[in-house]
Amino acid sequence: MCGSGTMLPDICGSSLLLTLPDDVFALVSRSLSPRDLCNLGLCCRNLHDLAASDKVWLSQCDLLGVVPCKDLIEWRKGICSYKALCRFLVGINPLLGIWVHQNPELGNVVYVIPGFISAVGCRIIPQELGPVGLEVGPILWSPVFEVVSDFEGNALFFLHGRESGNDYVYPGSIKKVDRTCNVLLLEVKPQQHTSVAHSIVPFGRLAFVDRRKLLDTVTNQVRQTLPDAKDDILFPRLRREEADLREDTELLYERRLLLMKMYDGGGGFTVWKAGTELPSHIGLSEFRQNLDLISATGDHESRSRKTFAEYVRQSLKYILRKSNSTNGKRDLLRKNSSSGHGSKHAQLHEFLQPGDAIGLTLHASTMKLSSYRAWPNMHESKFALYKLPMRAPEAGQEYAGVWGGTFGWPPGKLNDDKPGKALFLLFLSYEESQGQKILIATKILEGTHYVLHPNGSAMFIVNIEEPSNDPFPWCTDEHDSKHAFTGEGIANGYGFRYPGSKPGSLFVINDKMLAFIWKESRAVLTLQRLDLQEVLSKGERIHALPPVSNFAYLTRSYSNVFANVLTKA
């Protein structure tokens, strides 16, 4: 690090860094990664102290761009250091963005945003726009999960759900998040407390019915309630008054402390017993009893009169018989003949063998996925959400991102004879086709009562390199078309897995407004660019679905399955 032969040896190398003022070193450190800073701190004691300073790690947190610097300062009050905060931000950063599932067909869109020292997964509800459109009317959403930081920067996972008229949170763990993760999996994880090594059976190798049974059992055991006053908000709402923001912040601090207390002691592998504050681990014998309670159809009162020994014997027989019959006679024969090596599905007892406790876990994984017009091809039986590859608008791809709107023109002025129109969320992306750049508008949410367009279908496709000569029908000083492109829009509605299309044109009103007009019918789909985080911060929370279905709704439905929860939480 000596610049010339005249530089004194005592200000070379690490000594040169140590002579820099804190503010200057913090600026220099912005060219380093968090890993580089950690390695620098291993060189010597003095460099360790320098690399561990809060100013340096505040710069690293700011570089990640997860939340503004003013929010970082507020978050630091609830965590031991900026270094711990940076570790948490690095972990949740790949989770942020739009996640989808094929079912229900009206749309299953979960947007993960920064919360309060947390990341929050919010489901956007299929809904209609009010008379004022997106400008004023609140967007309805429901919570799916949270990843909350404790005081040391460790990530705590909480699933959301609603059962028997009550809202619950379900604590669990979170596996190390892949930096390139594109699939979020809800799983059950055994925890091993013995020194005996066992081969680990992946949760995904179990039969679907066993995976569902495990998830139902664990959520039934670990669920906890928060006082209503402490569960109204999950992130700061967009407020104009400073006093309102301070009130939200105080509520969020109290709520986070309650969540941390829930989590203490078990690391997510816990049974929360009614009337007690301390958790206890789920033993496997107790777990098998719980499986029987979930699956058996007999009367609960008659079961409670059995002796403990009779109950355990019957439970063990039931679960082993049920698991084997579910996986099928063919798999059972293979198991007997080849010690399980030829089985398509793993047996439940093989999965449970390594652990003496079980719990929920969130697995952010990277999988090789195919897609069709930006919509991922999904597994039908995985409790999973799939990430859409968001790209910021740039030169040549100015319209990439999420757009929202409805049918009709002009925007914000809907017909007086109807209370509202269906909200559509579209994901706009670019592809190359036969040497031409095309823009694809993929439907990710539809606010009708019964689906008219398949999930993941292209509402329109336009050739960006082919201008349209069609005039814009409603030119005004406020809404005048700047550009127009030739394309095709969806036709024929549902009933076609790949619906037909009819010609039309995409008109660019400005950088934040588009309109696609079908040439023959003159129907117009009006869109505006959305900042979903801002939209949600002004939105209205409603109740969630039952916990497992709330994460990924695996039953195909063409109607609005959220209609029964469209009441304020």
Side-chain angles (χ1 to χ4, degrees):
M1 296 181 65
C2 296
S4 66
T6 60
M7 184 172 288
L8 296 176
D10 60 347
I11 58 171
C12 292
S14 63
S15 298
L16 177 60
L17 293 177
L18 294 171
T19 60
L20 296 176
D22 289 348
D23 292 339
V24 175
F25 182 72
L27 289 174
V28 172
S29 69
R30 293 177 71 90
S31 62
L32 303 177
S33 69
R35 183 185 295 274
D36 293 334
L37 276 176
C38 291
N39 289 335
L40 184 65
L42 296 175
C43 295
C44 66
R45 184 184 299 274
N46 290 333
L47 282 178
H48 176 270
D49 294 340
L50 182 65
S53 73
D54 256 9
K55 286 185 178 180
V56 168
W57 286 101
L58 172 58
S59 294
Q60 291 294 316
C61 293
D62 189 39
L63 281 173
L64 290 171
V66 174
V67 294
C69 190
K70 63 180 180 63
D71 291 339
L72 291 174
I73 296 171
E74 192 65 47
W75 285 24
R76 169 64 177 84
K77 298 175 183 178
I79 204 165
C80 65
S81 67
Y82 277 117
K83 184 176 182 179
L85 178 57
C86 186
R87 182 172 70 251
F88 176 70
L89 293 175
V90 168
I92 66 169
N93 198 30
L95 302 179
L96 304 179
I98 296 182
W99 301 80
V100 295
H101 194 274
Q102 176 64 35
N103 296 318
E105 285 278 5
L106 279 174
N108 193 348
V109 181
V110 177
Y111 190 53
V112 181
I113 64 173
F116 182 75
I117 323 181
S118 67
V120 182
C122 306
R123 171 172 287 109
I124 301 175
I125 305 300
Q127 59 200 272
E128 292 182 344
L129 295 176
V132 291
L134 283 166
E135 295 299 324
V136 179
I139 293 296
L140 302 177
W141 63 273
S142 66
V144 178
F145 65 84
E146 293 177 83
V147 179
V148 180
S149 172
D150 68 5
F151 187 68
E152 303 295 332
N154 302 309
L156 316 178
F157 170 65
F158 293 88
L159 180 67
H160 281 261
R162 184 172 177 83
E163 302 177 72
S164 303
N166 297 312
D167 290 322
Y168 294 99
V169 290
Y170 306 78
S173 63
I174 179 170
K175 294 184 179 180
K176 183 179 178 181
V177 176
D178 290 350
R179 292 173 57 189
T180 58
C181 62
N182 57 0
V183 179
L184 278 183
L185 298 158
L186 182 65
E187 299 181 345
V188 168
K189 176 184 177 183
Q191 187 179 48
Q192 185 174 352
H193 291 298
T194 63
S195 59
V196 180
H198 293 280
S199 58
I200 298 176
V201 176
F203 182 73
R205 279 200 58 209
L206 294 173
F208 173 78
V209 68
D210 287 339
R211 284 184 276 125
R212 180 65 192 237
K213 196 185 303 177
L214 281 165
L215 288 169
D216 284 339
T217 298
V218 176
T219 53
N220 183 59
Q221 291 297 316
V222 303
R223 66 187 182 190
Q224 283 284 287
T225 58
L226 286 170
D228 291 341
K230 300 294 188 296
D231 204 31
D232 285 341
I233 58 174
L234 280 69
F235 44 80
R237 292 168 288 191
L238 194 62
R239 301 290 192 89
R240 295 180 180 178
E241 300 295 333
E242 187 67 26
D244 293 332
L245 180 60
R246 286 198 302 269
E247 180 183 349
D248 279 1
T249 302
E250 290 174 3
L251 288 173
L252 288 165
Y253 267 122
E254 294 177 15
R255 183 179 183 277
R256 175 172 170 265
L257 288 176
L258 284 174
L259 289 174
M260 290 168 62
K261 288 179 180 178
M262 284 183 179
Y263 203 89
D264 281 346
F269 293 83
T270 56
V271 176
W272 296 86
K273 294 185 179 297
T276 63
E277 295 181 359
L278 295 176
S280 59
H281 288 93
I282 302 177
L284 292 188
S285 60
E286 182 180 359
F287 169 70
R288 291 186 174 95
Q289 297 172 33
N290 294 331
L291 286 179
D292 184 49
L293 288 173
I294 290 294
S295 302
T297 58
D299 181 75
H300 174 73
E301 293 184 359
S302 64
R303 287 198 303 266
S304 64
R305 291 192 294 267
K306 297 175 183 176
T307 67
F308 181 78
E310 290 173 338
Y311 184 80
V312 172
R313 283 197 298 270
Q314 184 170 339
S315 297
L316 287 173
K317 290 179 180 178
Y318 177 87
I319 186 61
L320 294 176
R321 181 175 70 252
K322 185 69 175 175
S323 177
N324 288 338
S325 63
T326 299
N327 292 329
K329 293 182 179 179
R330 180 177 300 177
D331 287 344
L332 184 60
L333 290 173
R334 288 179 178 176
K335 176 69 178 177
N336 293 335
S337 63
S338 60
S339 301
H341 295 294
S343 298
K344 179 181 178 181
H345 299 299
Q347 301 297 305
L348 194 55
H349 66 84
E350 295 175 321
F351 175 80
L352 296 173
Q353 185 178 4
D356 54 10
I358 59 172
L360 288 177
T361 187
L362 182 69
H363 185 192
S365 176
T366 303
M367 294 185 179
K368 187 176 181 180
L369 297 174
S370 59
S371 62
Y372 180 74
R373 292 177 175 173
W375 185 257
N377 293 317
M378 305 177 187
H379 298 279
E380 291 294 328
S381 61
K382 289 185 181 293
F383 297 95
L385 296 169
Y386 297 81
K387 194 170 191 179
L388 293 181
M390 294 293 296
R391 296 189 61 176
E394 58 183 34
Q397 297 192 10
E398 292 84 355
Y399 314 117
V402 180
W403 296 71
T406 188
F407 281 89
W409 184 270
K413 295 180 181 179
L414 305 179
N415 295 335
D416 294 335
D417 59 339
K418 293 184 179 180
K421 290 188 176 181
L423 167 66
F424 282 82
L425 291 185
L426 305 185
F427 174 65
L428 271 59
S429 60
Y430 290 79
E431 289 186 7
E432 294 286 336
S433 177
Q434 299 179 352
Q436 301 288 309
K437 181 185 292 186
I438 60 174
L439 177 66
I440 302 173
T442 304
K443 189 212 93 171
I444 60 176
L445 183 137
E446 178 179 343
T448 53
H449 296 292
Y450 191 83
V451 66
L452 300 177
H453 311 86
N455 232 355
S457 58
M459 292 299 292
F460 59 80
I461 301 175
V462 299
N463 187 341
I464 294 299
E465 299 178 2
E466 185 177 341
S468 173
N469 296 322
D470 294 338
F472 187 64
W474 301 284
C475 286
T476 64
D477 292 338
E478 182 182 3
H479 299 124
D480 189 15
S481 173
K482 308 299 182 184
H483 307 285
F485 305 101
T486 299
E488 293 183 335
I490 194 170
N492 301 330
Y494 202 82
F496 298 84
R497 186 61 191 91
Y498 302 103
S501 58
K502 292 187 177 181
S505 296
L506 178 67
F507 294 92
V508 179
I509 312 304
N510 53 51
D511 292 340
K512 296 183 178 181
M513 183 175 293
L514 304 174
F516 186 87
I517 301 178
W518 280 258
K519 194 168 187 176
E520 181 180 324
S521 65
R522 310 297 289 172
V524 54
L525 178 60
T526 307
L527 301 172
Q528 63 186 78
R529 187 184 290 279
L530 293 184
D531 180 338
L532 282 180
Q533 184 169 343
E534 180 179 333
V535 168
L536 288 169
S537 68
K538 297 186 296 184
E540 182 177 341
R541 175 183 171 180
I542 66 170
H543 295 307
L545 294 173
V548 179
S549 295
N550 192 40
F551 187 85
Y553 195 93
L554 295 187
T555 303
R556 182 175 292 277
S557 174
Y558 306 114
S559 59
N560 190 351
V561 302
F562 304 99
N564 62 336
V565 296
L566 292 180
T567 56
K568 187 175 181 180

